[in-house]
mmCIF file of all heavy atoms in Angstrom:
data_model
loop_
_atom_site.group_PDB
_atom_site.id
_atom_site.type_symbol
_atom_site.label_atom_id
_atom_site.label_comp_id
_atom_site.label_asym_id
_atom_site.label_seq_id
_atom_site.Cartn_x
_atom_site.Cartn_y
_atom_site.Cartn_z
ATOM 1 N N VAL W 29 -4.266 -7.395 -0.815
ATOM 2 C CA VAL W 29 -4.380 -8.850 -0.714
ATOM 3 C C VAL W 29 -4.823 -9.423 -2.052
ATOM 4 O O VAL W 29 -4.288 -10.426 -2.527
ATOM 5 C CB VAL W 29 -5.374 -9.236 0.406
ATOM 6 C CG1 VAL W 29 -5.709 -10.710 0.357
ATOM 7 C CG2 VAL W 29 -4.814 -8.843 1.763
ATOM 8 N N HIS W 30 -5.807 -8.759 -2.683
ATOM 9 C CA HIS W 30 -6.320 -9.233 -3.970
ATOM 10 C C HIS W 30 -5.218 -9.310 -5.020
ATOM 11 O O HIS W 30 -5.109 -10.302 -5.742
ATOM 12 C CB HIS W 30 -7.450 -8.332 -4.465
ATOM 13 C CG HIS W 30 -8.719 -8.506 -3.717
ATOM 14 N ND1 HIS W 30 -9.041 -7.739 -2.620
ATOM 15 C CD2 HIS W 30 -9.749 -9.357 -3.897
ATOM 16 C CE1 HIS W 30 -10.220 -8.113 -2.159
ATOM 17 N NE2 HIS W 30 -10.669 -9.097 -2.914
ATOM 18 N N PHE W 32 -1.969 -9.511 -4.544
ATOM 19 C CA PHE W 32 -0.984 -10.529 -4.173
ATOM 20 C C PHE W 32 -1.499 -11.923 -4.516
ATOM 21 O O PHE W 32 -0.769 -12.732 -5.094
ATOM 22 C CB PHE W 32 -0.643 -10.434 -2.683
ATOM 23 C CG PHE W 32 0.417 -11.411 -2.286
ATOM 24 C CD1 PHE W 32 1.753 -11.146 -2.545
ATOM 25 C CD2 PHE W 32 0.090 -12.602 -1.668
ATOM 26 C CE1 PHE W 32 2.738 -12.061 -2.200
ATOM 27 C CE2 PHE W 32 1.057 -13.515 -1.319
ATOM 28 C CZ PHE W 32 2.392 -13.242 -1.585
ATOM 29 N N ILE W 33 -2.745 -12.200 -4.181
ATOM 30 C CA ILE W 33 -3.323 -13.512 -4.514
ATOM 31 C C ILE W 33 -3.361 -13.695 -6.027
ATOM 32 O O ILE W 33 -2.986 -14.752 -6.539
ATOM 33 C CB ILE W 33 -4.721 -13.674 -3.890
ATOM 34 C CG1 ILE W 33 -4.596 -13.820 -2.367
ATOM 35 C CG2 ILE W 33 -5.451 -14.883 -4.484
ATOM 36 C CD1 ILE W 33 -5.918 -13.800 -1.630
ATOM 37 N N TYR W 34 -3.787 -12.668 -6.749
ATOM 38 C CA TYR W 34 -3.871 -12.749 -8.208
ATOM 39 C C TYR W 34 -2.509 -13.094 -8.820
ATOM 40 O O TYR W 34 -2.423 -13.922 -9.726
ATOM 41 C CB TYR W 34 -4.400 -11.429 -8.774
ATOM 42 C CG TYR W 34 -4.482 -11.409 -10.272
ATOM 43 C CD1 TYR W 34 -5.535 -12.041 -10.928
ATOM 44 C CD2 TYR W 34 -3.514 -10.773 -11.041
ATOM 45 C CE1 TYR W 34 -5.617 -12.043 -12.316
ATOM 46 C CE2 TYR W 34 -3.589 -10.766 -12.418
ATOM 47 C CZ TYR W 34 -4.638 -11.399 -13.059
ATOM 48 O OH TYR W 34 -4.708 -11.398 -14.426
ATOM 49 N N ASN W 36 -0.117 -14.751 -7.499
ATOM 50 C CA ASN W 36 0.456 -16.018 -7.043
ATOM 51 C C ASN W 36 -0.467 -17.220 -7.129
ATOM 52 O O ASN W 36 -0.033 -18.344 -6.894
ATOM 53 C CB ASN W 36 0.947 -15.847 -5.599
ATOM 54 C CG ASN W 36 2.107 -14.890 -5.538
ATOM 55 O OD1 ASN W 36 3.216 -15.214 -5.926
ATOM 56 N ND2 ASN W 36 1.844 -13.671 -5.083
ATOM 57 N N GLU W 37 -1.723 -17.008 -7.469
ATOM 58 C CA GLU W 37 -2.699 -18.095 -7.543
ATOM 59 C C GLU W 37 -2.304 -19.186 -8.535
ATOM 60 O O GLU W 37 -2.537 -20.372 -8.296
ATOM 61 C CB GLU W 37 -4.044 -17.495 -7.972
ATOM 62 C CG GLU W 37 -5.177 -17.944 -7.224
ATOM 63 C CD GLU W 37 -6.440 -17.153 -7.490
ATOM 64 O OE1 GLU W 37 -6.488 -16.206 -8.302
ATOM 65 O OE2 GLU W 37 -7.397 -17.537 -6.854
ATOM 66 N N LEU W 40 -0.465 -22.059 -7.094
ATOM 67 C CA LEU W 40 -1.265 -23.013 -6.315
ATOM 68 C C LEU W 40 -1.948 -24.025 -7.217
ATOM 69 O O LEU W 40 -2.067 -25.195 -6.874
ATOM 70 C CB LEU W 40 -2.329 -22.280 -5.486
ATOM 71 C CG LEU W 40 -1.829 -21.381 -4.369
ATOM 72 C CD1 LEU W 40 -2.999 -20.658 -3.716
ATOM 73 C CD2 LEU W 40 -1.046 -22.187 -3.348
ATOM 74 N N ILE W 69 -10.259 -10.066 6.181
ATOM 75 C CA ILE W 69 -9.947 -11.065 5.161
ATOM 76 C C ILE W 69 -10.909 -12.247 5.286
ATOM 77 O O ILE W 69 -11.097 -12.800 6.359
ATOM 78 C CB ILE W 69 -8.486 -11.539 5.310
ATOM 79 C CG1 ILE W 69 -7.528 -10.345 5.249
ATOM 80 C CG2 ILE W 69 -8.136 -12.580 4.264
ATOM 81 C CD1 ILE W 69 -7.634 -9.506 3.999
ATOM 82 N N SER W 70 -11.484 -12.644 4.164
ATOM 83 C CA SER W 70 -12.432 -13.762 4.151
ATOM 84 C C SER W 70 -11.706 -15.092 4.356
ATOM 85 O O SER W 70 -10.484 -15.176 4.216
ATOM 86 C CB SER W 70 -13.190 -13.804 2.823
ATOM 87 O OG SER W 70 -12.327 -14.212 1.771
ATOM 88 N N ASN W 71 -12.478 -16.122 4.634
ATOM 89 C CA ASN W 71 -11.894 -17.460 4.776
ATOM 90 C C ASN W 71 -11.191 -17.889 3.492
ATOM 91 O O ASN W 71 -10.103 -18.458 3.533
ATOM 92 C CB ASN W 71 -12.972 -18.484 5.132
ATOM 93 C CG ASN W 71 -13.404 -18.391 6.572
ATOM 94 O OD1 ASN W 71 -12.783 -17.727 7.398
ATOM 95 N ND2 ASN W 71 -14.502 -19.057 6.883
ATOM 96 N N GLU W 72 -11.817 -17.634 2.360
ATOM 97 C CA GLU W 72 -11.220 -18.035 1.080
ATOM 98 C C GLU W 72 -9.888 -17.325 0.845
ATOM 99 O O GLU W 72 -8.901 -17.949 0.444
ATOM 100 C CB GLU W 72 -12.180 -17.735 -0.071
ATOM 101 C CG GLU W 72 -11.631 -18.138 -1.421
ATOM 102 C CD GLU W 72 -12.569 -17.832 -2.584
ATOM 103 O OE1 GLU W 72 -13.695 -17.353 -2.350
ATOM 104 O OE2 GLU W 72 -12.156 -18.077 -3.725
ATOM 105 N N GLN W 73 -9.847 -16.017 1.115
ATOM 106 C CA GLN W 73 -8.604 -15.270 0.932
ATOM 107 C C GLN W 73 -7.521 -15.759 1.893
ATOM 108 O O GLN W 73 -6.367 -15.933 1.497
ATOM 109 C CB GLN W 73 -8.845 -13.776 1.143
ATOM 110 C CG GLN W 73 -9.684 -13.134 0.068
ATOM 111 C CD GLN W 73 -10.100 -11.729 0.459
ATOM 112 O OE1 GLN W 73 -10.482 -11.472 1.594
ATOM 113 N NE2 GLN W 73 -10.034 -10.823 -0.493
ATOM 114 N N MET W 74 -7.889 -15.983 3.150
ATOM 115 C CA MET W 74 -6.906 -16.439 4.133
ATOM 116 C C MET W 74 -6.388 -17.830 3.767
ATOM 117 O O MET W 74 -5.199 -18.116 3.931
ATOM 118 C CB MET W 74 -7.496 -16.439 5.538
ATOM 119 C CG MET W 74 -6.462 -16.678 6.623
ATOM 120 S SD MET W 74 -5.199 -15.389 6.740
ATOM 121 C CE MET W 74 -6.095 -14.152 7.680
ATOM 122 N N ASP W 75 -7.269 -18.668 3.271
ATOM 123 C CA ASP W 75 -6.850 -20.002 2.836
ATOM 124 C C ASP W 75 -5.817 -19.895 1.728
ATOM 125 O O ASP W 75 -4.789 -20.579 1.756
ATOM 126 C CB ASP W 75 -8.070 -20.808 2.390
ATOM 127 C CG ASP W 75 -7.718 -22.230 2.022
ATOM 128 O OD1 ASP W 75 -7.058 -22.911 2.830
ATOM 129 O OD2 ASP W 75 -8.094 -22.665 0.914
ATOM 130 N N LYS W 76 -6.070 -19.025 0.752
ATOM 131 C CA LYS W 76 -5.113 -18.850 -0.352
ATOM 132 C C LYS W 76 -3.813 -18.233 0.138
ATOM 133 O O LYS W 76 -2.725 -18.661 -0.277
ATOM 134 C CB LYS W 76 -5.734 -18.003 -1.457
ATOM 135 C CG LYS W 76 -6.802 -18.746 -2.234
ATOM 136 C CD LYS W 76 -7.428 -17.887 -3.304
ATOM 137 C CE LYS W 76 -8.520 -18.655 -4.035
ATOM 138 N NZ LYS W 76 -9.178 -17.833 -5.064
ATOM 139 N N LEU W 77 -3.903 -17.243 1.015
ATOM 140 C CA LEU W 77 -2.692 -16.612 1.540
ATOM 141 C C LEU W 77 -1.824 -17.609 2.300
ATOM 142 O O LEU W 77 -0.602 -17.652 2.113
ATOM 143 C CB LEU W 77 -3.045 -15.436 2.454
ATOM 144 C CG LEU W 77 -3.531 -14.169 1.767
ATOM 145 C CD1 LEU W 77 -4.028 -13.163 2.801
ATOM 146 C CD2 LEU W 77 -2.436 -13.554 0.909
ATOM 147 N N THR W 78 -2.436 -18.411 3.155
ATOM 148 C CA THR W 78 -1.641 -19.380 3.912
ATOM 149 C C THR W 78 -1.097 -20.488 3.011
ATOM 150 O O THR W 78 0.020 -20.961 3.235
ATOM 151 C CB THR W 78 -2.435 -19.977 5.095
ATOM 152 O OG1 THR W 78 -3.660 -20.506 4.634
ATOM 153 C CG2 THR W 78 -2.702 -18.935 6.159
ATOM 154 N N ALA W 79 -1.853 -20.864 1.996
ATOM 155 C CA ALA W 79 -1.349 -21.866 1.042
ATOM 156 C C ALA W 79 -0.142 -21.321 0.281
ATOM 157 O O ALA W 79 0.859 -22.021 0.088
ATOM 158 C CB ALA W 79 -2.457 -22.286 0.075
ATOM 159 N N ILE W 80 -0.216 -20.063 -0.140
ATOM 160 C CA ILE W 80 0.916 -19.431 -0.830
ATOM 161 C C ILE W 80 2.106 -19.319 0.120
ATOM 162 O O ILE W 80 3.238 -19.607 -0.251
ATOM 163 C CB ILE W 80 0.515 -18.049 -1.389
ATOM 164 C CG1 ILE W 80 -0.515 -18.204 -2.515
ATOM 165 C CG2 ILE W 80 1.741 -17.278 -1.881
ATOM 166 C CD1 ILE W 80 -1.232 -16.911 -2.896
ATOM 167 N N ALA W 81 1.837 -18.908 1.365
ATOM 168 C CA ALA W 81 2.906 -18.775 2.365
ATOM 169 C C ALA W 81 3.628 -20.104 2.568
ATOM 170 O O ALA W 81 4.861 -20.151 2.638
ATOM 171 C CB ALA W 81 2.325 -18.278 3.689
ATOM 172 N N ASN W 82 2.879 -21.182 2.672
ATOM 173 C CA ASN W 82 3.484 -22.507 2.865
ATOM 174 C C ASN W 82 4.223 -22.971 1.621
ATOM 175 O O ASN W 82 5.343 -23.484 1.707
ATOM 176 C CB ASN W 82 2.423 -23.524 3.268
ATOM 177 C CG ASN W 82 1.921 -23.294 4.669
ATOM 178 O OD1 ASN W 82 2.646 -22.829 5.534
ATOM 179 N ND2 ASN W 82 0.660 -23.616 4.903
ATOM 180 N N LEU W 83 3.610 -22.789 0.462
ATOM 181 C CA LEU W 83 4.221 -23.222 -0.791
ATOM 182 C C LEU W 83 5.526 -22.481 -1.072
ATOM 183 O O LEU W 83 6.518 -23.077 -1.497
ATOM 184 C CB LEU W 83 3.234 -23.014 -1.954
ATOM 185 C CG LEU W 83 3.686 -23.451 -3.333
ATOM 186 C CD1 LEU W 83 3.855 -24.971 -3.392
ATOM 187 C CD2 LEU W 83 2.681 -22.992 -4.387
ATOM 188 N N MET W 84 5.511 -21.183 -0.822
ATOM 189 C CA MET W 84 6.675 -20.347 -1.123
ATOM 190 C C MET W 84 7.655 -20.231 0.046
ATOM 191 O O MET W 84 8.672 -19.566 -0.065
ATOM 192 C CB MET W 84 6.212 -18.946 -1.550
ATOM 193 C CG MET W 84 5.379 -18.944 -2.805
ATOM 194 S SD MET W 84 6.322 -19.570 -4.223
ATOM 195 C CE MET W 84 5.097 -19.470 -5.508
ATOM 196 N N PHE W 86 7.516 -18.717 3.129
ATOM 197 C CA PHE W 86 7.740 -17.393 3.701
ATOM 198 C C PHE W 86 8.565 -17.518 4.977
ATOM 199 O O PHE W 86 8.466 -18.509 5.698
ATOM 200 C CB PHE W 86 6.416 -16.729 4.094
ATOM 201 C CG PHE W 86 5.533 -16.293 2.967
ATOM 202 C CD1 PHE W 86 5.853 -16.499 1.641
ATOM 203 C CD2 PHE W 86 4.344 -15.646 3.250
ATOM 204 C CE1 PHE W 86 5.014 -16.086 0.618
ATOM 205 C CE2 PHE W 86 3.498 -15.225 2.245
ATOM 206 C CZ PHE W 86 3.828 -15.444 0.928
ATOM 207 N N PHE W 89 4.636 -15.002 8.296
ATOM 208 C CA PHE W 89 3.375 -14.454 7.787
ATOM 209 C C PHE W 89 2.590 -14.022 9.018
ATOM 210 O O PHE W 89 2.119 -14.857 9.784
ATOM 211 C CB PHE W 89 2.616 -15.500 6.970
ATOM 212 C CG PHE W 89 1.305 -15.027 6.433
ATOM 213 C CD1 PHE W 89 1.215 -13.864 5.693
ATOM 214 C CD2 PHE W 89 0.151 -15.755 6.660
ATOM 215 C CE1 PHE W 89 0.004 -13.433 5.195
ATOM 216 C CE2 PHE W 89 -1.064 -15.338 6.166
ATOM 217 C CZ PHE W 89 -1.144 -14.166 5.430
#
Side-chain angles (χ1 to χ4, degrees):
V29 169
H30 287 92
F32 183 79
I33 289 172
Y34 178 78
N36 293 286
E37 225 169 1
L40 294 176
I69 304 303
S70 71
N71 284 348
E72 181 181 357
Q73 291 169 318
M74 190 64 81
D75 184 51
K76 288 179 181 178
L77 285 172
T78 54
I80 293 166
N82 289 329
L83 182 66
M84 298 298 179
F86 290 2
F89 179 53

